[in-house]
Amino acid sequence: MNEAIELPFWLELLVSALLLLGSLFALIGAIGLVRLKDFFQRMHPPALASTIGAWCVAAASILYFSVLKQSPVLHAWLIPILLSITVPVTTLLLARAALFRKRTSGENVPEEVSSGRDRGN
């Protein structure tokens, strides 16, 4: 059978702290999603908190499995790296779509910055 591997206490403590920190960021993002009133305000907490939380969980995973296998295990970095690339892009696209929807419904929203129109000149 498999023998249980005894991990150092400092590693268990550090991995636990990183996992708790990641879950705290996820909780903060969920609370921000529920408590904020406007769509544009609701976009930011989950995007920021989930990205930071994913980095914490990935760091905990890398530490734990690197010590367990006694060699660097770095492929877990792919998840937060891809999240760091895709989350801002999707947040921007959601914001632009919501702004376009408000413009077409006739609501008073600011003009596009890159519209190229003269502003009252």
Side-chain angles (χ1 to χ4, degrees), residues 71-90:
S71 66
V73 178
L74 300 176
H75 62 274
W77 281 126
L78 287 176
I79 295 169
I81 288 172
L82 290 175
L83 276 176
S84 297
I85 294 169
T86 58
V87 167
V89 172
T90 55

Side-chain angles (χ1 to χ4, degrees), residues 13-83:
L13 193 62
L14 186 59
V15 168
S16 300
L18 284 170
L19 289 174
L20 284 173
L21 190 63
S23 62
L24 181 67
F25 278 117
L27 179 65
I28 290 170
I31 291 171
L33 182 64
V34 171
R35 299 232 353 143
L36 294 174
K37 298 173 184 169
D38 187 33
F39 173 78
F40 296 102
Q41 293 174 350
R42 286 183 178 173
M43 289 186 339
H44 296 289
L48 295 174
S50 66
T51 304
I52 296 170
W55 280 100
C56 291
V57 171
S61 174
I62 287 170
L63 282 173
Y64 180 80
F65 289 111
S66 292
V67 171
L68 195 64
K69 292 187 177 194
Q70 298 175 348
S71 66
V73 178
L74 300 176
H75 62 274
W77 281 126
L78 287 176
I79 295 169
I81 288 172
L82 290 175
L83 276 176

